[in-house]
Amino acid sequence: KIFISEILPQPDGDEEEFVELANFATTTVNLEGAILRIGSRGKTFEASASIEPNGFLAIYEDDLPARLRNSGQTVKLFDAFGRLISEAVYPKAQAGKAFASLDGKNYSWTSSLTPGEENQFVLGETVMAQGQTEGLAQAGVKNKTTASVATAAQMSKVLSANKDMQT
């Protein structure tokens, strides 16, 4: 229930690069010994690192193991035993947009940056260009999305109101 939920590789203005982790478990997750890997470089979390239930942890550029490449990259999270917990492969970055997910499986670009908070997507926003979708397919990413949602709670309300929209 812990995953990479948001990545900002190409900040715009005063923003900083960041990688955000989400914990949708019902208990606090201790990250001691877990490794955040960007490309070939890793950061091992100390004993004080944890994420509260339904919480988020944003790791900013000074604490990242490497700079995020604007040309695209793989970001991975491993547990203290070296097992892969979460992986996000983002294509060429868009200035000021975050590569974000609500479930750790389907990622989209969003202009609504929410480090430390639940991700939000702008309805009707273009999330992937054709070349980016092809790049993800070449990288082996099978779960791609081209639809946007507002928040998980808002989408749940929409789906409850209109069962025809559920797939």
Side-chain angles (χ1 to χ4, degrees):
K1 304 241 178 174
I2 184 170
F3 61 91
I4 298 164
S5 61
E6 188 172 2
I7 302 168
L8 179 63
Q10 189 175 356
D12 194 18
D14 294 340
E15 301 158 350
E16 284 187 63
E17 286 184 359
F18 69 86
V19 172
E20 177 189 72
L21 306 178
N23 172 19
F24 285 120
T26 57
T27 58
T28 298
V29 172
N30 182 340
L31 293 173
E32 181 178 6
I35 299 170
L36 178 67
R37 185 166 303 282
I38 298 175
S40 62
R41 303 188 88 191
K43 167 194 174 64
T44 302
F45 289 95
E46 297 177 3
S48 61
S50 64
I51 308 175
E52 296 295 319
N54 297 308
F56 303 88
L57 174 64
I59 302 121
Y60 289 92
E61 61 187 51
D62 289 343
D63 292 322
L64 291 173
R67 295 294 306 257
L68 296 164
R69 288 195 312 234
N70 294 343
S71 60
Q73 194 165 30
T74 300
V75 179
K76 297 180 180 182
L77 180 64
F78 296 91
D79 69 13
F81 300 103
R83 297 175 296 204
L84 182 65
I85 297 172
S86 180
E87 179 177 30
V89 181
Y90 66 89
K92 184 176 180 194
Q94 300 178 33
K97 291 193 175 190
F99 196 61
S101 175
L102 296 172
D103 61 6
K105 297 175 186 166
N106 299 296
Y107 288 83
S108 300
W109 289 107
T110 180
S111 58
S112 181
L113 308 179
T114 58
E117 300 174 11
E118 182 177 10
N119 294 333
Q120 296 184 9
F121 297 87
V122 178
L123 290 171
E125 182 177 51
T126 303
V127 292
M128 289 190 187
Q130 180 64 27
Q132 292 168 327
T133 303
E134 291 169 9
L136 286 175
Q138 290 172 356
V141 177
K142 295 178 183 154
N143 293 324
K144 301 176 291 290
T145 181
T146 56
S148 298
V149 297
T151 66
Q154 291 168 324
M155 193 58 172
S156 183
K157 288 179 186 177
V158 170
L159 290 174
S160 293
N162 187 348
K163 298 289 183 190
D164 296 303
M165 293 179 67
Q166 294 181 359
T167 57

